[in-house]
Amino acid sequence: MDIETQRDSGRTGAKGMGRAAVRGLGLALVALPGAVLCFTLSLVSFALIPIGVGIVTTPWVLTGVRAFADWRRVLAAEWGGVRIPSAYRPIPKDANPWTRTFGMLRDPATWRDFRWLPVDMTAGFVTALLPAVLVLYPLEGFALAAGLWRVFPDGYWYGFVPVSGQGSALLAAALGLVILFFGHFFAPRALQGHFRLTKAVLGAGQGELAERVRVLTETRRDAVDTSAAELRRIERDLHDGAQARLVAMGMDLGTIEMLLDKDPGKAKELLAQARKSSVDALAELRDLVRGIHPPVLAERGLGDAVRALALRLPLPSEVTVELPGRADAPVESAAYFAISEVLTNAVKHSGAERLWIDLHHAEDMLRITVTDDGKGGAVIGAGSGLAGVERRLGTFDGVLAVSSPAGGPTMVTMEIPCVLS
Protein backbone atom coordinates (compact mmCIF):
# COMPACT_ATOMS: atom_id res chain seq x y z
CA MET A 1 0.00 0.00 0.00
CA ASP A 2 2.86 2.39 0.83
CA ILE A 3 4.53 1.59 -2.50
CA GLU A 4 1.33 2.40 -4.39
CA THR A 5 0.99 5.66 -2.48
CA GLN A 6 4.54 6.63 -3.41
CA ARG A 7 3.88 5.78 -7.06
CA ASP A 8 0.72 7.91 -7.06
CA SER A 9 2.62 10.74 -5.44
CA GLY A 10 5.34 10.50 -8.08
CA ARG A 11 2.83 10.53 -10.91
CA THR A 12 1.03 13.50 -9.35
CA GLY A 13 4.32 15.38 -8.92
CA ALA A 14 5.41 14.67 -12.50
CA LYS A 15 1.99 15.72 -13.78
CA GLY A 16 2.11 18.93 -11.73
CA MET A 17 5.62 19.69 -12.99
CA GLY A 18 4.62 19.13 -16.61
CA ARG A 19 1.43 21.15 -16.24
CA ALA A 20 3.33 24.04 -14.65
CA ALA A 21 5.90 23.94 -17.47
CA VAL A 22 3.28 23.99 -20.23
CA ARG A 23 1.21 26.70 -18.56
CA GLY A 24 4.25 28.81 -17.77
CA LEU A 25 5.62 28.53 -21.31
CA GLY A 26 2.28 29.43 -22.85
CA LEU A 27 1.81 32.30 -20.42
CA ALA A 28 5.30 33.65 -21.10
CA LEU A 29 4.86 33.51 -24.88
CA VAL A 30 1.48 35.28 -24.75
CA ALA A 31 2.01 37.65 -21.82
CA LEU A 32 5.30 39.18 -23.01
CA PRO A 33 3.99 40.55 -26.34
CA GLY A 34 0.69 41.45 -24.66
CA ALA A 35 2.38 43.46 -21.92
CA VAL A 36 4.75 45.18 -24.39
CA LEU A 37 1.84 46.08 -26.67
CA CYS A 38 -0.34 47.41 -23.84
CA PHE A 39 2.53 49.42 -22.33
CA THR A 40 3.56 50.91 -25.69
CA LEU A 41 0.03 51.84 -26.71
CA SER A 42 -0.60 53.40 -23.29
CA LEU A 43 2.53 55.55 -23.52
CA VAL A 44 1.69 56.71 -27.04
CA SER A 45 -1.93 57.42 -26.13
CA PHE A 46 -0.93 59.39 -23.01
CA ALA A 47 1.54 61.42 -25.07
CA LEU A 48 -1.20 62.29 -27.58
CA ILE A 49 -3.58 63.67 -24.95
CA PRO A 50 -2.26 67.28 -25.17
CA ILE A 51 -3.07 67.45 -28.89
CA GLY A 52 -6.52 65.92 -28.43
CA VAL A 53 -5.99 62.59 -30.18
CA GLY A 54 -5.32 60.84 -26.88
CA ILE A 55 -8.70 61.98 -25.54
CA VAL A 56 -10.31 59.63 -28.05
CA THR A 57 -7.78 56.78 -27.97
CA THR A 58 -7.01 56.57 -24.24
CA PRO A 59 -10.36 55.07 -23.13
CA TRP A 60 -10.06 52.35 -25.75
CA VAL A 61 -6.45 51.60 -24.87
CA LEU A 62 -7.09 51.52 -21.13
CA THR A 63 -10.14 49.32 -21.67
CA GLY A 64 -7.84 46.88 -23.47
CA VAL A 65 -5.28 47.08 -20.65
CA ARG A 66 -8.01 46.35 -18.11
CA ALA A 67 -9.23 43.38 -20.14
CA PHE A 68 -5.64 42.08 -20.29
CA ALA A 69 -5.24 42.56 -16.52
CA ASP A 70 -8.61 40.91 -15.79
CA TRP A 71 -7.59 37.94 -17.93
CA ARG A 72 -4.47 37.58 -15.80
CA ARG A 73 -6.62 37.81 -12.67
CA VAL A 74 -8.70 34.91 -13.94
CA LEU A 75 -5.58 32.83 -14.72
CA ALA A 76 -4.12 33.63 -11.30
CA ALA A 77 -7.29 32.34 -9.64
CA GLU A 78 -7.70 29.26 -11.85
CA TRP A 79 -4.06 28.17 -12.21
CA GLY A 80 -2.52 29.47 -9.01
CA GLY A 81 -5.38 29.86 -6.55
CA VAL A 82 -4.34 33.51 -6.11
CA ARG A 83 -7.24 35.96 -5.99
CA ILE A 84 -6.51 39.48 -7.24
CA PRO A 85 -9.57 41.69 -6.71
CA SER A 86 -10.56 44.07 -9.47
CA ALA A 87 -11.55 47.53 -8.18
CA TYR A 88 -11.97 49.77 -11.20
CA ARG A 89 -14.14 52.82 -10.79
CA PRO A 90 -17.26 52.62 -12.97
CA ILE A 91 -17.63 55.11 -15.79
CA PRO A 92 -21.08 56.50 -16.67
CA LYS A 93 -22.53 54.86 -19.75
CA ASP A 94 -23.28 58.15 -21.48
CA ALA A 95 -19.95 59.81 -20.61
CA ASN A 96 -18.20 61.77 -23.35
CA PRO A 97 -14.58 60.95 -24.34
CA TRP A 98 -13.18 63.74 -22.14
CA THR A 99 -15.02 62.46 -19.04
CA ARG A 100 -14.11 58.86 -19.79
CA THR A 101 -10.42 59.65 -20.34
CA PHE A 102 -9.85 61.68 -17.19
CA GLY A 103 -12.18 59.51 -15.14
CA MET A 104 -10.02 56.50 -15.99
CA LEU A 105 -6.79 58.45 -15.44
CA ARG A 106 -7.96 59.49 -11.95
CA ASP A 107 -8.57 55.87 -11.06
CA PRO A 108 -5.70 54.48 -8.91
CA ALA A 109 -6.30 51.05 -10.46
CA THR A 110 -5.29 52.47 -13.87
CA TRP A 111 -1.84 53.39 -12.57
CA ARG A 112 -1.46 50.04 -10.81
CA ASP A 113 -2.07 48.39 -14.17
CA PHE A 114 0.45 50.74 -15.82
CA ARG A 115 3.13 49.96 -13.18
CA TRP A 116 2.43 46.27 -13.49
CA LEU A 117 3.03 46.08 -17.26
CA PRO A 118 6.84 46.67 -17.20
CA VAL A 119 7.15 44.29 -14.25
CA ASP A 120 5.16 41.68 -16.14
CA MET A 121 7.32 41.96 -19.25
CA THR A 122 10.53 41.50 -17.20
CA ALA A 123 10.34 39.69 -13.87
CA GLY A 124 6.92 38.30 -14.73
CA PHE A 125 8.24 36.85 -18.00
CA VAL A 126 11.18 35.22 -16.21
CA THR A 127 9.07 33.67 -13.44
CA ALA A 128 6.54 32.37 -15.98
CA LEU A 129 9.28 30.88 -18.16
CA LEU A 130 11.23 29.32 -15.26
CA PRO A 131 9.05 26.17 -14.89
CA ALA A 132 9.56 25.37 -18.58
CA VAL A 133 13.33 25.93 -18.22
CA LEU A 134 13.49 23.56 -15.23
CA VAL A 135 11.78 20.86 -17.29
CA LEU A 136 13.24 21.42 -20.78
CA TYR A 137 16.85 22.42 -20.00
CA PRO A 138 17.74 18.97 -18.56
CA LEU A 139 16.76 17.44 -21.91
CA GLU A 140 19.76 19.20 -23.47
CA GLY A 141 22.06 17.56 -20.93
CA PHE A 142 20.62 14.14 -21.75
CA ALA A 143 21.01 14.82 -25.47
CA LEU A 144 24.66 15.78 -24.95
CA ALA A 145 25.31 12.51 -23.16
CA ALA A 146 23.59 10.64 -26.02
CA GLY A 147 26.18 12.00 -28.48
CA LEU A 148 25.05 15.52 -29.31
CA TRP A 149 28.36 16.81 -27.89
CA ARG A 150 30.09 15.65 -31.06
CA VAL A 151 28.39 18.31 -33.20
CA PHE A 152 29.45 21.16 -30.91
CA PRO A 153 32.94 22.68 -30.96
CA ASP A 154 35.28 22.33 -27.99
CA GLY A 155 34.53 24.80 -25.26
CA TYR A 156 30.73 24.30 -25.27
CA TRP A 157 29.31 24.85 -21.81
CA TYR A 158 26.27 23.21 -20.31
CA GLY A 159 25.58 25.18 -17.18
CA PHE A 160 28.95 25.25 -15.42
CA VAL A 161 30.15 22.02 -17.09
CA PRO A 162 32.52 22.42 -20.10
CA VAL A 163 31.59 19.68 -22.57
CA SER A 164 34.50 18.40 -24.64
CA GLY A 165 34.09 14.61 -24.61
CA GLN A 166 31.89 11.74 -23.57
CA GLY A 167 32.97 11.97 -19.94
CA SER A 168 32.09 15.61 -19.59
CA ALA A 169 28.84 14.96 -21.54
CA LEU A 170 27.90 12.41 -18.88
CA LEU A 171 28.58 15.08 -16.24
CA ALA A 172 26.22 17.37 -18.18
CA ALA A 173 23.57 14.65 -18.07
CA ALA A 174 24.11 14.31 -14.32
CA LEU A 175 23.66 18.06 -13.94
CA GLY A 176 20.50 17.85 -16.05
CA LEU A 177 19.21 15.12 -13.77
CA VAL A 178 19.83 17.32 -10.73
CA ILE A 179 18.03 20.24 -12.38
CA LEU A 180 15.12 17.94 -13.27
CA PHE A 181 15.01 16.71 -9.66
CA PHE A 182 14.72 20.27 -8.37
CA GLY A 183 12.25 21.09 -11.13
CA HIS A 184 10.03 18.31 -9.80
CA PHE A 185 9.60 20.36 -6.61
CA PHE A 186 10.08 23.95 -7.73
CA ALA A 187 8.38 24.20 -11.16
CA PRO A 188 4.83 24.45 -9.69
CA ARG A 189 6.14 26.82 -7.00
CA ALA A 190 7.80 29.02 -9.60
CA LEU A 191 4.48 29.41 -11.42
CA GLN A 192 2.81 30.13 -8.10
CA GLY A 193 5.51 32.74 -7.47
CA HIS A 194 4.65 34.36 -10.81
CA PHE A 195 1.04 34.82 -9.75
CA ARG A 196 2.05 36.11 -6.33
CA LEU A 197 4.32 38.64 -8.01
CA THR A 198 1.38 39.67 -10.18
CA LYS A 199 -0.78 40.11 -7.09
CA ALA A 200 1.91 42.11 -5.30
CA VAL A 201 2.06 44.67 -8.11
CA LEU A 202 -1.43 44.48 -9.62
CA GLY A 203 -3.32 44.20 -6.35
CA ALA A 204 -4.35 47.26 -4.42
CA GLY A 205 -1.85 48.60 -1.93
CA GLN A 206 -2.38 51.31 0.68
CA GLY A 207 -5.89 52.61 0.84
CA GLU A 208 -7.24 49.28 -0.41
CA LEU A 209 -9.98 49.23 2.20
CA ALA A 210 -11.14 52.75 1.36
CA GLU A 211 -11.05 51.91 -2.34
CA ARG A 212 -13.04 48.73 -1.81
CA VAL A 213 -15.62 50.58 0.29
CA ARG A 214 -15.98 53.21 -2.43
CA VAL A 215 -16.34 50.60 -5.17
CA LEU A 216 -18.85 48.60 -3.14
CA THR A 217 -20.84 51.76 -2.41
CA GLU A 218 -21.04 52.51 -6.12
CA THR A 219 -21.97 48.94 -7.03
CA ARG A 220 -24.65 48.89 -4.33
CA ARG A 221 -26.02 52.14 -5.75
CA ASP A 222 -26.07 50.53 -9.18
CA ALA A 223 -27.93 47.57 -7.67
CA VAL A 224 -30.53 49.89 -6.13
CA ASP A 225 -30.98 51.71 -9.44
CA THR A 226 -31.29 48.39 -11.27
CA SER A 227 -33.87 47.16 -8.76
CA ALA A 228 -35.89 50.36 -9.14
CA ALA A 229 -35.81 50.02 -12.93
CA GLU A 230 -36.88 46.39 -12.62
CA LEU A 231 -39.82 47.36 -10.42
CA ARG A 232 -40.90 49.97 -12.97
CA ARG A 233 -40.68 47.36 -15.72
CA ILE A 234 -42.82 44.94 -13.72
CA GLU A 235 -45.40 47.65 -13.03
CA ARG A 236 -45.48 48.58 -16.73
CA ASP A 237 -45.81 44.97 -17.86
CA LEU A 238 -48.59 44.34 -15.37
CA HIS A 239 -50.45 47.50 -16.34
CA ASP A 240 -50.09 47.12 -20.11
CA GLY A 241 -50.31 43.34 -20.28
CA ALA A 242 -52.02 41.07 -17.81
CA GLN A 243 -54.02 43.83 -16.09
CA ALA A 244 -55.44 45.10 -19.39
CA ARG A 245 -56.42 41.57 -20.42
CA LEU A 246 -58.09 40.92 -17.08
CA VAL A 247 -60.05 44.18 -17.31
CA ALA A 248 -61.17 43.30 -20.84
CA MET A 249 -62.14 39.82 -19.66
CA GLY A 250 -64.24 41.34 -16.86
CA MET A 251 -66.05 43.59 -19.34
CA ASP A 252 -66.69 40.59 -21.62
CA LEU A 253 -68.14 38.60 -18.71
CA GLY A 254 -70.47 41.50 -17.89
CA THR A 255 -71.64 41.62 -21.50
CA ILE A 256 -72.08 37.85 -21.52
CA GLU A 257 -74.26 38.09 -18.42
CA MET A 258 -76.59 40.55 -20.20
CA LEU A 259 -76.69 38.57 -23.46
CA LEU A 260 -77.09 35.14 -21.91
CA ASP A 261 -80.91 35.18 -22.27
CA LYS A 262 -81.26 37.56 -25.22
CA ASP A 263 -78.55 36.28 -27.60
CA PRO A 264 -77.03 32.96 -26.48
CA GLY A 265 -75.01 32.67 -29.69
CA LYS A 266 -73.28 36.01 -29.16
CA ALA A 267 -72.79 35.19 -25.49
CA LYS A 268 -71.10 31.93 -26.44
CA GLU A 269 -68.78 33.77 -28.83
CA LEU A 270 -67.81 36.30 -26.15
CA LEU A 271 -67.31 33.47 -23.66
CA ALA A 272 -64.75 31.85 -25.98
CA GLN A 273 -63.02 35.21 -26.33
CA ALA A 274 -62.94 35.64 -22.54
CA ARG A 275 -61.45 32.18 -22.14
CA LYS A 276 -58.71 33.05 -24.66
CA SER A 277 -58.01 36.30 -22.79
CA SER A 278 -57.65 34.37 -19.53
CA VAL A 279 -55.15 31.98 -21.16
CA ASP A 280 -53.14 34.89 -22.58
CA ALA A 281 -53.17 36.70 -19.23
CA LEU A 282 -51.97 33.57 -17.45
CA ALA A 283 -49.15 33.13 -19.99
CA GLU A 284 -48.05 36.76 -19.54
CA LEU A 285 -48.09 36.37 -15.74
CA ARG A 286 -45.95 33.24 -16.02
CA ASP A 287 -43.46 35.04 -18.27
CA LEU A 288 -43.37 37.93 -15.81
CA VAL A 289 -42.75 35.62 -12.87
CA ARG A 290 -40.04 33.81 -14.84
CA GLY A 291 -38.36 37.17 -15.49
CA ILE A 292 -38.40 37.99 -11.76
CA HIS A 293 -37.21 34.63 -10.44
CA PRO A 294 -37.56 31.46 -12.52
CA PRO A 295 -39.38 28.72 -10.59
CA VAL A 296 -36.85 26.11 -11.70
CA LEU A 297 -34.09 28.25 -10.16
CA ALA A 298 -35.85 28.32 -6.79
CA GLU A 299 -36.79 24.65 -6.87
CA ARG A 300 -33.81 22.90 -8.47
CA GLY A 301 -30.91 25.32 -8.34
CA LEU A 302 -28.62 27.17 -10.73
CA GLY A 303 -27.39 24.18 -12.73
CA ASP A 304 -30.85 22.95 -13.78
CA ALA A 305 -32.05 26.52 -14.34
CA VAL A 306 -29.18 27.13 -16.79
CA ARG A 307 -29.90 23.80 -18.52
CA ALA A 308 -33.54 24.86 -18.92
CA LEU A 309 -32.39 28.24 -20.22
CA ALA A 310 -30.12 26.56 -22.77
CA LEU A 311 -32.99 24.40 -24.05
CA ARG A 312 -34.91 27.54 -25.02
CA LEU A 313 -32.01 28.94 -27.07
CA PRO A 314 -32.20 28.85 -30.88
CA LEU A 315 -28.59 27.59 -31.02
CA PRO A 316 -27.30 24.15 -30.00
CA SER A 317 -25.53 24.39 -26.66
CA GLU A 318 -23.57 22.21 -24.28
CA VAL A 319 -23.90 22.74 -20.53
CA THR A 320 -21.38 21.38 -18.01
CA VAL A 321 -22.24 21.75 -14.32
CA GLU A 322 -20.02 20.78 -11.39
CA LEU A 323 -21.72 22.31 -8.35
CA PRO A 324 -21.67 20.15 -5.20
CA GLY A 325 -24.27 22.35 -3.51
CA ARG A 326 -26.28 25.55 -3.80
CA ALA A 327 -25.26 29.16 -3.29
CA ASP A 328 -27.39 31.77 -1.57
CA ALA A 329 -30.52 32.74 -3.48
CA PRO A 330 -29.32 36.28 -4.36
CA VAL A 331 -26.05 34.89 -5.76
CA GLU A 332 -27.87 32.24 -7.78
CA SER A 333 -30.27 34.86 -9.14
CA ALA A 334 -27.44 37.23 -10.11
CA ALA A 335 -25.50 34.40 -11.78
CA TYR A 336 -28.59 33.18 -13.66
CA PHE A 337 -29.49 36.57 -15.09
CA ALA A 338 -25.84 37.31 -15.91
CA ILE A 339 -25.65 34.06 -17.88
CA SER A 340 -28.97 34.87 -19.53
CA GLU A 341 -27.70 38.30 -20.63
CA VAL A 342 -24.44 36.85 -22.00
CA LEU A 343 -26.32 34.16 -23.91
CA THR A 344 -28.75 36.73 -25.31
CA ASN A 345 -25.82 38.83 -26.54
CA ALA A 346 -24.22 35.76 -28.12
CA VAL A 347 -27.41 34.77 -29.93
CA LYS A 348 -28.09 38.31 -31.19
CA HIS A 349 -24.64 39.59 -32.11
CA SER A 350 -22.02 36.84 -32.35
CA GLY A 351 -23.19 34.97 -35.44
CA ALA A 352 -22.27 31.78 -33.58
CA GLU A 353 -23.38 28.28 -34.51
CA ARG A 354 -22.78 26.67 -31.10
CA LEU A 355 -22.48 27.64 -27.43
CA TRP A 356 -20.69 26.06 -24.48
CA ILE A 357 -21.59 26.87 -20.86
CA ASP A 358 -19.48 25.67 -17.93
CA LEU A 359 -20.29 26.14 -14.24
CA HIS A 360 -18.09 24.92 -11.43
CA HIS A 361 -17.16 25.88 -7.88
CA ALA A 362 -13.67 25.80 -6.41
CA GLU A 363 -11.89 27.58 -3.58
CA ASP A 364 -15.04 29.46 -2.50
CA MET A 365 -15.47 30.84 -6.01
CA LEU A 366 -18.31 30.24 -8.44
CA ARG A 367 -16.77 30.28 -11.93
CA ILE A 368 -18.90 30.50 -15.05
CA THR A 369 -17.62 30.37 -18.62
CA VAL A 370 -19.73 31.01 -21.71
CA THR A 371 -18.00 30.31 -25.03
CA ASP A 372 -19.28 30.72 -28.58
CA ASP A 373 -17.74 30.05 -31.99
CA GLY A 374 -18.90 33.36 -33.47
CA LYS A 375 -17.12 36.26 -35.12
CA GLY A 376 -15.69 37.77 -31.91
CA GLY A 377 -15.17 41.46 -31.23
CA ALA A 378 -17.16 41.60 -27.97
CA VAL A 379 -16.03 44.30 -25.53
CA ILE A 380 -17.08 45.55 -22.12
CA GLY A 381 -18.09 49.08 -23.03
CA ALA A 382 -20.61 51.69 -22.07
CA GLY A 383 -24.03 50.79 -23.41
CA SER A 384 -23.19 47.13 -24.04
CA GLY A 385 -24.98 44.26 -22.37
CA LEU A 386 -21.68 43.10 -20.88
CA ALA A 387 -21.35 46.40 -18.97
CA GLY A 388 -24.67 45.62 -17.29
CA VAL A 389 -23.45 42.12 -16.47
CA GLU A 390 -20.30 43.60 -14.93
CA ARG A 391 -22.38 45.90 -12.72
CA ARG A 392 -24.64 43.03 -11.69
CA LEU A 393 -21.64 40.89 -10.67
CA GLY A 394 -19.95 43.84 -8.95
CA THR A 395 -22.77 43.88 -6.40
CA PHE A 396 -21.42 40.57 -5.11
CA ASP A 397 -17.70 41.39 -5.55
CA GLY A 398 -17.76 39.38 -8.76
CA VAL A 399 -15.55 40.00 -11.79
CA LEU A 400 -16.07 39.68 -15.53
CA ALA A 401 -13.38 38.97 -18.12
CA VAL A 402 -13.88 38.79 -21.88
CA SER A 403 -11.59 37.23 -24.48
CA SER A 404 -13.00 37.96 -27.95
CA PRO A 405 -10.41 38.38 -30.72
CA ALA A 406 -11.58 39.32 -34.19
CA GLY A 407 -12.78 36.17 -35.90
CA GLY A 408 -13.61 34.52 -32.59
CA PRO A 409 -14.09 32.55 -30.55
CA THR A 410 -15.51 34.58 -27.67
CA MET A 411 -15.06 33.45 -24.07
CA VAL A 412 -16.83 35.30 -21.26
CA THR A 413 -15.65 34.32 -17.78
CA MET A 414 -17.53 35.32 -14.62
CA GLU A 415 -16.45 34.77 -11.04
CA ILE A 416 -18.50 35.32 -7.88
CA PRO A 417 -17.07 34.63 -4.41
CA CYS A 418 -19.52 32.43 -2.50
CA VAL A 419 -19.86 29.24 -0.49
CA LEU A 420 -22.17 26.38 -1.32
CA SER A 421 -24.45 24.66 1.13
Side-chain angles (χ1 to χ4, degrees):
M1 187 69 179
D2 291 339
I3 295 176
E4 290 297 325
T5 302
Q6 291 175 3
R7 288 176 179 173
D8 292 341
S9 176
R11 285 194 293 266
T12 302
K15 182 179 179 181
M17 176 179 64
R19 182 168 56 241
V22 172
R23 288 177 172 178
L25 181 61
L27 184 59
L29 295 178
V30 174
L32 177 61
V36 172
L37 179 63
C38 288
F39 187 72
T40 303
L41 290 178
S42 298
L43 281 179
V44 173
S45 188
F46 294 163
L48 294 176
I49 289 178
I51 63 174
V53 177
I55 300 295
V56 178
T57 60
T58 297
W60 295 99
V61 171
L62 292 183
T63 299
V65 172
R66 292 181 176 189
F68 181 66
D70 281 338
W71 172 65
R72 299 296 291 280
R73 289 184 175 96
V74 172
L75 289 187
E78 292 186 349
W79 290 359
V82 178
R83 284 204 63 223
I84 308 175
S86 178
Y88 298 114
R89 294 179 180 177
I91 303 296
K93 292 188 295 184
D94 56 349
N96 57 46
W98 180 278
T99 302
R100 288 179 59 80
T101 295
F102 289 98
M104 298 176 86
L105 290 178
R106 284 193 294 268
D107 189 348
T110 296
W111 299 105
R112 283 198 298 270
D113 290 351
F114 190 67
R115 290 194 301 268
W116 163 70
L117 290 173
V119 175
D120 190 53
M121 69 179 73
T122 53
F125 173 76
V126 173
T127 53
L129 191 61
L130 184 57
V133 173
L134 291 174
V135 173
L136 298 178
Y137 190 55
L139 300 181
E140 182 185 349
F142 301 151
L144 289 171
L148 185 63
W149 63 272
R150 292 185 176 88
V151 304
F152 290 110
D154 293 341
Y156 181 81
W157 288 77
Y158 177 78
F160 56 82
V161 176
V163 179
S164 57
Q166 186 61 50
S168 56
L170 291 174
L171 289 177
L175 177 59
L177 189 62
V178 172
I179 295 174
L180 190 63
F181 174 78
F182 282 101
H184 177 81
F185 297 100
F186 291 108
R189 297 180 183 178
L191 187 62
Q192 180 82 4
H194 168 83
F195 293 125
R196 293 192 179 279
L197 173 65
T198 301
K199 181 178 182 180
V201 184
L202 192 57
Q206 294 183 350
E208 177 180 4
L209 180 59
E211 182 71 10
R212 293 296 298 155
V213 169
R214 186 198 57 74
V215 171
L216 290 175
T217 300
E218 293 185 0
T219 55
R220 298 303 186 269
R221 184 169 61 246
D222 288 339
V224 171
D225 293 341
T226 301
S227 298
E230 187 70 11
L231 286 174
R232 290 193 296 270
R233 182 191 67 81
I234 294 171
E235 292 174 354
R236 183 179 64 252
D237 290 348
L238 283 172
H239 182 271
D240 298 339
Q243 178 179 328
R245 292 186 183 277
L246 291 173
V247 170
M249 187 173 64
M251 295 174 64
D252 289 342
L253 290 175
T255 305
I256 291 169
E257 187 178 6
M258 291 187 295
L259 294 175
L260 198 57
D261 295 327
K262 298 179 181 180
D263 191 350
K266 183 66 174 178
K268 185 177 180 180
E269 181 182 339
L270 290 176
L271 189 61
Q273 182 178 335
R275 184 170 61 250
K276 182 178 183 302
S277 296
S278 68
V279 172
D280 292 340
L282 182 59
E284 289 187 358
L285 286 174
R286 284 174 175 168
D287 290 340
L288 186 62
V289 170
R290 188 180 295 112
I292 299 172
H293 195 79
V296 67
L297 180 61
E299 296 169 3
R300 304 186 61 178
L302 181 61
D304 286 339
V306 173
R307 290 190 182 99
L309 179 64
L311 289 175
R312 297 197 297 269
L313 295 174
L315 298 177
S317 57
E318 180 180 333
V319 181
T320 303
V321 179
E322 297 179 5
L323 300 178
R326 295 192 58 175
D328 293 338
V331 174
E332 284 192 334
S333 180
Y336 175 85
F337 287 108
I339 295 171
S340 178
E341 180 69 26
V342 172
L343 291 175
T344 300
N345 285 347
V347 170
K348 287 184 177 179
H349 308 298
S350 70
E353 297 181 354
R354 191 169 183 84
L355 298 167
W356 293 267
I357 309 158
D358 178 79
L359 296 86
H360 66 279
H361 184 272
E363 300 171 354
D364 294 335
M365 187 74 64
L366 174 63
R367 295 191 177 98
I368 305 161
T369 303
V370 178
T371 308
D372 67 66
D373 59 355
K375 61 186 178 182
V379 295
I380 306 174
S384 72
L386 292 177
V389 173
E390 188 175 41
R391 289 195 300 273
R392 185 187 292 273
L393 298 179
T395 306
F396 299 90
D397 286 350
V399 296
L400 174 71
V402 178
S403 173
S404 184
T410 294
M411 176 182 291
V412 178
T413 303
M414 297 167 276
E415 291 190 344
I416 307 175
C418 67
V419 294
L420 302 185
S421 59

